[in-house]
Amino acid sequence: MPERPDAVERALRALRYRDRSTAELDSRLEQHGIDAEEREQALETLERLGYVDDERLACMRAEQLAARGSGDALIRHDLERRGITSEHVETALSDLEPEHERAAAIVQRRGEGAKTARYLASRGFGEDALESAVARED
């Protein structure tokens, strides 16, 4: 009978193509029937070795989403969905270019108006960013 892969090996397989948060890996390991103690030990090992780092993941993912034109609300939602702690989420958001500046760059490319405002809102930009980016100065 073949030996069942251990928790570290399963987690490394999950990390093969992209970074995952501690919570995502824990969930995957749980789905494979690995008990809580073994999951905890495996995740601690991977964190110690630098394979799992929720703060690094949060910052990288936030930068990727911001570069694609996402606002803070969408970025926050994505990171929280991945199980990233609010502390790491806030750190990642604070490291980004301010939301209103990212919104202004989009307005400059797309032009002012209601259509752009709807676009920004759909991309998770807050009301302040929408107002400052879309409002015409007289």
Side-chain angles (χ1 to χ4, degrees):
M1 186 167 142
E3 188 176 311
R4 186 182 93 165
D6 73 346
V8 172
E9 187 178 329
R10 281 201 185 271
L12 286 172
R13 284 184 195 167
L15 292 168
R16 188 176 300 159
Y17 299 108
R18 71 173 181 89
D19 276 343
R20 296 182 192 277
S21 69
T22 303
E24 288 174 310
L25 288 173
D26 187 53
S27 176
R28 278 180 164 253
L29 294 175
E30 184 177 25
Q31 290 173 359
H32 287 285
I34 296 174
D35 66 65
E37 185 177 329
E38 192 177 354
R39 291 193 319 262
E40 184 178 337
Q41 289 174 355
L43 293 171
E44 286 175 3
T45 298
L46 293 171
E47 286 173 0
R48 189 175 60 252
L49 294 173
Y51 288 110
V52 178
D53 183 339
D54 284 356
E55 185 174 5
R56 178 187 68 215
L57 173 64
C59 290
M60 287 178 19
R61 183 68 180 155
E63 288 174 15
Q64 289 170 345
L65 291 172
R68 293 182 196 161
S70 297
D72 288 355
L74 189 144
I75 295 168
R76 179 177 281 109
H77 175 74
D78 181 84
L79 296 177
E80 289 173 348
R81 184 180 54 78
R82 294 170 186 272
I84 304 289
T85 65
S86 59
E87 178 184 334
H88 292 322
V89 170
E90 295 309 317
T91 298
L93 289 172
S94 70
D95 289 347
L96 296 175
E97 178 182 25
E99 185 181 52
H100 69 277
E101 291 178 19
R102 297 191 322 262
I106 291 170
V107 170
Q108 188 172 7
R109 277 195 320 270
R110 294 179 58 103
E112 293 179 343
K115 189 174 180 179
T116 299
R118 284 191 300 274
Y119 175 81
L120 290 172
S122 74
R123 301 293 301 155
F125 283 89
E127 195 172 312
D128 291 341
L130 293 174
E131 288 175 5
S132 68
V134 179
R136 290 182 186 251
E137 290 187 28
D138 293 326

